[in-house]
């Protein structure tokens, strides 16, 4: 049976998700919500830069709600719980990289009725958070005993992350250090990361821990070009963010990211180290594990600005979740509830069904 999927928003995540839906043997693209008026009414293929795919994009929420579909991949710049609840109530399962990785009970309560009314499931997934910061440490902890520490961390040069609004308005690049320190940045970005920490604590059975966020900043020492323009000397051009879960003074879970706008013009003179751009997963236990993931960063800034692998992996995780989320019982389902989610063979290599 083919599952009918709607793509909600066509930024970096949305465009790659559409490509992947079209290649997935169990999925069919049946609709697409777009934000910009100039995308409204266009064939989705035009928006993603391929030939026509026979699906017309719409900026009408009502049209999407009225559509018969099994799932929506919800990937706009900003999450609106009332939109997600409406989609769930309309009978569509929702998969999103924006939130809902492992929500607090009071947050979960805000959409539980919508899931029950629509008989639908909500799943938060992605890569960072929603993959490398929770699922992967937990997967590798399964190969260890008496675990004392897990870690999931990203190390990236963000000059190729083509989301000007997110970089400037949400992540705080290009502002003064004082502005960023006084802003709700840690709280806003931490909303997802603390869900990863809590998922690790709960799944591994750690005792009650205090979650401590830390933010270190580097400023530009010379003008740095980035997707939203130029970062001037003295403005924020590097961030190290961590969320540590601490028990009796010992860190037992650490998630976070080092995000730099290049390595040349920073004070302090931070670098990504000899490992370069990467994701790391660490487990301390018997035996320990230390995993470095390459391939989720573009080879050049130009390539990343067009199609960023770090974004594309989040799209893949969303798309590949669809069959599992559609088969799940109604409610919010996390990695701890769903079976093993995996990708599918390339169409040229896939088993042919008679
Ligand atoms: N968890 C993870 O690992 C992970 C990974 C990647 C991204 N994300 C999150 O996923 C979201 C999408 O990421 P992205 O890389 O696709 O971002 P993006 O390239 O900036 O795309 C943002 C999308 O949101 C639309 N949009 C802009 N302003 C909007 C508004 N006010 N209301 C509704 N939609 C609006 C844009 O529409 P137009 O194109 O029509 O302007 C575009 O389709 C972001 O929130 C990002 O933080 C999470």
């Amino acid at each position: 049976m083919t599952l009918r999927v709607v793509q909600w928003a066509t930024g970096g995540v949305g465009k790659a998700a559409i490509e992947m839906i079209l290649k997935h043997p169990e999925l069919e693209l049946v609709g697409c919500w777009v934000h910009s008026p100039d995308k409204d009414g266009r064939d989705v293929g035009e928006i993603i830069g391929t030939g026509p795919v026979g699906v017309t994009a719409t900026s009408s929420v009502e049209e999407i709600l009225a559509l018969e579909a099994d799932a929506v991949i919800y990937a706009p710049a900003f999450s609106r719980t009332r939109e997600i609840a409406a989609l769930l109530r309309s009978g569509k399962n929702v998969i999103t990289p924006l939130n809902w990785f492992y929500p607090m009970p009071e947050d979960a309560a805000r959409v539980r009725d919508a899931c029950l009314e629509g008989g639908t499931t909500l799943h938060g997934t992605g890569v960072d958070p929603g993959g490398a910061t929770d699922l992967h440490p937990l997967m590798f902890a399964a190969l260890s005993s008496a675990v004392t520490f897990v870690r999931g961390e990203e190390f990236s040069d963000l000059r190729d992350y083509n989301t000007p609004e997110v970089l400037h308005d949400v992540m705080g690049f290009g502002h003064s250090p004082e502005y960023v320190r006084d802003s709700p940045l840690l709280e806003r970005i931490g909303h997802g990361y603390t869900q990863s920490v809590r998922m690790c604590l709960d799944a591994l059975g750690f005792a009650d821990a205090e979650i401590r966020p830390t933010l270190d900043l580097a400023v530009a020492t010379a003008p740095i070009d980035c997707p939203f323009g130029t970062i001037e000397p003295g403005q924020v051009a590097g961030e190290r963010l961590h969320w540590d879960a601490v028990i009796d003074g010992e860190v037992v879970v650490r998630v976070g990211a080092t995000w730099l706008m290049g390595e040349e013009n920073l004070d302090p003179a931070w670098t990504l180290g000899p490992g370069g751009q990467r994701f790391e997963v660490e487990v301390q236990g018997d035996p320990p594990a230390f995993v470095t993931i390459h391939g989720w960063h573009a080879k050049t800034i130009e390539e990343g600005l067009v199609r960023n692998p770090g974004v594309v992996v989040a799209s893949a995780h969303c798309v590949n979740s669809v069959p599992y989320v559609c088969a799940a019982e109604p409610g919010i389902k996390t990695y701890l509830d769903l079976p093993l989610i995996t990708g599918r063979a390339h169409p040229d290599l896939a088993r042919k069904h008679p």
Side-chain angles (χ1 to χ4, degrees):
M1 198 180 77
T2 305
L3 297 165
R4 295 163 57 84
V5 184
V6 171
Q7 177 55 44
W8 187 287
T10 53
V13 172
K15 283 190 203 155
I18 290 167
E19 292 169 18
M20 291 171 173
I21 294 165
L22 296 171
K23 284 187 195 145
H24 195 293
E26 291 136 68
L27 307 182
E28 180 191 1
L29 183 74
V30 296
C32 178
W33 179 87
V34 285
H35 172 250
S36 306
D38 63 309
K39 292 181 180 173
D40 189 18
R42 288 171 63 190
D43 186 281
V44 169
E46 266 181 61
I47 296 172
I48 65 166
T50 64
V53 300
V55 175
T56 305
T58 178
S59 48
S60 160
V61 174
E62 290 67 33
E63 268 183 46
I64 297 292
L65 290 175
L67 209 59
E68 269 215 14
D70 298 290
V72 176
I73 296 175
Y74 182 84
F78 309 103
S79 178
R80 295 185 181 96
T81 304
R82 64 167 194 286
E83 262 170 10
I84 291 176
L87 290 165
L88 291 165
R89 260 194 206 96
S90 77
K92 297 168 190 65
N93 299 288
V94 176
I95 294 143
T96 178
L98 280 100
N99 188 4
W100 308 103
F101 311 105
Y102 192 63
M104 296 289 282
E106 58 270 27
D107 289 333
R110 293 163 65 203
V111 293
R112 187 175 298 118
D113 288 350
C115 290
L116 296 179
E117 265 180 54
T120 48
T121 304
L122 172 60
H123 176 56
T125 182
V127 59
D128 185 37
T133 53
D134 35 45
L135 178 64
H136 300 171
L138 292 177
M139 271 167 48
F140 283 95
L143 288 83
S144 194
S145 142
V147 174
T148 56
F149 174 72
V150 296
R151 178 172 68 86
E153 256 190 291
E154 173 185 352
F155 297 84
S156 297
D157 179 343
L158 293 188
R159 285 175 300 170
D160 67 1
Y161 185 39
N162 203 356
T163 58
E165 284 170 3
V166 175
L167 283 173
H168 187 261
D169 302 346
V170 180
M171 298 165 89
F173 285 97
H175 292 281
S176 70
E178 298 72 30
Y179 173 89
V180 173
R181 280 200 197 93
D182 292 345
S183 75
L185 172 117
L186 261 185
E187 194 187 325
R188 258 190 326 216
I189 297 182
H191 190 67
Y193 283 104
T194 51
Q195 293 181 55
S196 296
V197 173
R198 288 180 26 255
M199 187 190 290
C200 290
L201 287 169
D202 288 353
L204 296 169
F206 279 113
D208 286 347
E210 184 195 345
I211 301 179
R212 291 183 192 158
T214 52
L215 169 66
D216 295 310
L217 299 173
V219 295
T221 55
I224 301 175
D225 288 336
C226 78
F228 59 79
T230 304
I231 300 179
E232 300 294 345
Q235 294 178 338
V236 170
E239 297 181 355
R240 280 186 181 149
L241 307 98
H242 291 112
W243 286 266
D244 289 340
V246 183
I247 301 177
D248 294 336
E250 295 293 322
V251 178
V252 295
V253 179
R254 163 169 274 204
V255 304
T258 295
W259 291 319
L260 308 184
M261 290 294 180
E263 299 179 296
E264 293 83 27
N265 300 304
L266 299 178
D267 177 22
W270 289 348
T271 70
L272 296 171
Q277 300 198 79
R278 66 202 184 276
F279 286 77
E280 286 184 352
V281 175
E282 180 179 352
V283 176
Q284 291 299 335
D286 175 27
F290 194 91
V291 184
T292 304
I293 301 167
H294 290 294
W296 294 350
H297 291 94
K299 292 192 179 63
T300 64
I301 292 179
E302 293 69 31
E303 185 187 303
L305 288 170
V306 176
R307 191 175 189 271
N308 194 313
V311 171
V312 172
V313 283
S315 315
H317 219 173
C318 290
V319 172
N320 287 323
S321 302
V322 171
Y324 308 90
V325 173
C326 290
E329 291 294 311
I332 294 176
K333 299 294 172 195
T334 74
Y335 298 127
L336 304 185
D337 307 303
L338 294 173
L340 174 72
I341 292 166
T342 189
R344 293 293 184 271
H346 188 284
D348 295 348
L349 298 169
R351 188 176 302 147
K352 305 285 181 255
H353 292 284

